[in-house]
Amino acid sequence: MPVTTNDVRPDTVQLDDIDKKLLRMLGENARRTNNSMATELGIAPSTCLARVNSLRESGVIRRFTLDVDPERIGRSLQALIFVRIRPGARHTMSTFSEEIRVQQGVTQLFFLGGTDDFVLHLAVRDSNDVRQFVLDHLSANPAVASTQTSLVFDHLPGGPWV
Amino acid sequence: MPVTTNDVRPDTVQLDDIDKKLLRMLGENARRTNNSMATELGIAPSTCLARVNSLRESGVIRRFTLDVDPERIGRSLQALIFVRIRPGARHTMSTFSEEIRVQQGVTQLFFLGGTDDFVLHLAVRDSNDVRQFVLDHLSANPAVASTQTSLVFDHLPGGPWV
DNA sequence: AGTGAAACTGTGAGGCT
DNA sequence: AGCCTCACAGTTTCACT
């Protein structure tokens, strides 16, 4: 009898209670010192360090990054832009989206199933910037069938991952 | 003649070239050492530290946080859920959304202008979890007029902020 | 605002249980 | 897997410019 594929994906990491607490602590403050976390968890600093390194190496932690307030840097306007690609141009999507992704003001990109092909989260100065962005990077591209822009009044992070 | 409101919002911080480079460096790796950044920028470590502290105090940097790979912790399925609130229940939106925001699997929440009132980004294990989430937290709530779920095939970060 | 020096704190490797 | 020790690296304060 052949070995069957397991229920759990092979690259899924099992997290114990300590791992989860570490992820929560570092999610709140990625610069928390190893010592303070070890103390709070009641484990040795070296153990704590090994845990964090292991979370990095296993790819659970992709990177340590920043949460920047767009308003404070003059990007007071956020928008979600829903984009449909022409059916005949689907094969260009990954090239196209990569160009879009790195444009000034693009904070994230979702590839979607359903009627829209992707959603773009934009943080810019004002509505002129949105218009300009759509004109320059979307409408101008023959692969784009249509776009629909919704203003974002507020953008909040979710709860902890674990 | 009365002083008129300035073009630039009062809480907007002007960033010089050093600040922008720091934001880019820390965005890539929020744990970069102060020393290495100072060296790369050609400034003294103490100066560098003062800059980063000032970016924190001014609110440009909200927090140092983590980029967690949802797949590695068994959340292989992502979805965007578009929610409409009944016109008569708009006043309950902020209470309601705060309850939603902290639920397991909710990674972010957008408040929207236009036909949909908000969008929820969910990272869960499978489609059952999505169905359960919608049932438990959305459909069950009388304030919700309708929901529409789109699967997310891929989710990519944008380019640097500055 | 930026600097240099010095005191302090935290990190991470090695060997051990 | 977890823990202890310790040399080293990094941080942070402060007086000065």
Side-chain angles (χ1 to χ4, degrees):
Chain A
M1 191 190 186
V3 176
T4 53
T5 311
N6 200 295
D7 184 38
V8 176
R9 296 269 303 292
D11 55 358
T12 295
V13 177
Q14 281 308 341
L15 304 173
D16 67 12
D17 201 48
I18 299 272
D19 293 321
K20 289 177 186 172
K21 282 178 179 160
L22 278 170
L23 287 177
R24 278 195 284 267
M25 287 176 190
L26 289 170
E28 276 165 33
N29 175 13
R31 286 197 152 187
R32 249 322 270 275
T33 64
N34 188 53
N35 280 346
S36 87
M37 295 191 296
T39 306
E40 184 172 330
L41 295 171
I43 59 179
S46 49
T47 307
C48 189
L49 184 67
R51 291 296 192 116
V52 174
N53 285 340
S54 145
L55 286 168
R56 286 238 256 174
E57 275 147 33
S58 64
V60 171
I61 296 178
R62 278 206 209 104
R63 64 218 246 268
F64 298 92
T65 185
L66 287 187
D67 181 358
V68 170
D69 186 344
E71 293 235 7
R72 294 294 161 106
I73 57 172
R75 293 165 188 260
S76 310
L77 197 142
Q78 293 177 242
L80 289 183
I81 307 182
F82 302 83
V83 181
R84 285 185 211 185
I85 300 296
R86 277 195 304 102
R90 288 274 153 77
H91 61 103
T92 65
M93 261 183 73
S94 55
T95 322
F96 172 53
S97 62
E98 186 54 27
E99 285 166 22
I100 293 288
R101 197 181 74 77
V102 294
Q103 294 304 316
Q104 279 279 6
V106 177
T107 69
Q108 43 183 341
L109 200 54
F110 299 87
F111 288 75
L112 248 55
T115 44
D116 290 305
D117 293 294
F118 54 87
V119 181
L120 226 134
H121 180 209
L122 212 63
V124 291
R125 197 155 80 175
D126 54 33
S127 52
N128 275 330
D129 285 358
V130 179
R131 203 176 54 90
Q132 205 58 50
F133 184 93
V134 174
L135 250 35
D136 292 352
H137 301 295
L138 300 173
S139 312
N141 193 309
V144 172
S146 72
T147 68
Q148 191 243 303
T149 302
S150 290
L151 292 192
V152 173
F153 293 141
D154 209 355
H155 178 214
L156 303 175
W161 280 100
V162 285
Chain B
M1 189 187 184
V3 176
T4 54
T5 311
N6 201 295
D7 185 38
V8 175
R9 296 270 303 290
D11 54 359
T12 295
V13 177
Q14 281 308 338
L15 304 173
D16 67 12
D17 202 49
I18 300 272
D19 294 320
K20 290 177 186 172
K21 283 176 178 160
L22 278 170
L23 287 177
R24 278 195 285 267
M25 289 176 189
L26 289 170
E28 277 165 32
N29 175 11
R31 287 197 150 187
R32 262 292 293 270
T33 64
N34 188 53
N35 280 343
S36 86
M37 295 192 294
T39 307
E40 185 173 327
L41 294 170
I43 59 179
S46 49
T47 307
C48 189
L49 185 68
R51 290 295 194 121
V52 174
N53 285 340
S54 144
L55 286 168
R56 287 238 256 174
E57 275 148 33
S58 65
V60 171
I61 297 177
R62 276 204 211 106
R63 62 217 246 267
F64 297 93
T65 185
L66 288 185
D67 182 359
V68 170
D69 186 344
E71 295 235 6
R72 295 295 161 106
I73 56 172
R75 294 165 187 259
S76 309
L77 198 142
Q78 293 177 243
L80 290 183
I81 306 182
F82 303 84
V83 182
R84 284 185 212 184
I85 299 295
R86 278 196 303 103
R90 288 275 152 77
H91 61 103
T92 66
M93 263 184 72
S94 55
T95 321
F96 173 52
S97 62
E98 185 53 27
E99 284 165 24
I100 293 289
R101 196 180 76 77
V102 294
Q103 294 303 316
Q104 279 280 4
V106 176
T107 70
Q108 42 184 339
L109 199 55
F110 300 88
F111 287 76
L112 248 54
T115 43
D116 290 306
D117 293 294
F118 55 88
V119 181
L120 224 134
H121 180 210
L122 213 62
V124 290
R125 197 153 85 173
D126 54 33
S127 51
N128 276 330
D129 285 357
V130 178
R131 201 176 54 90
Q132 205 58 48
F133 184 93
V134 174
L135 250 36
D136 292 351
H137 301 295
L138 300 174
S139 312
N141 193 311
V144 172
S146 73
T147 69
Q148 191 244 303
T149 302
S150 290
L151 293 192
V152 172
F153 293 141
D154 208 356
H155 179 214
L156 304 174
W161 280 100
V162 285

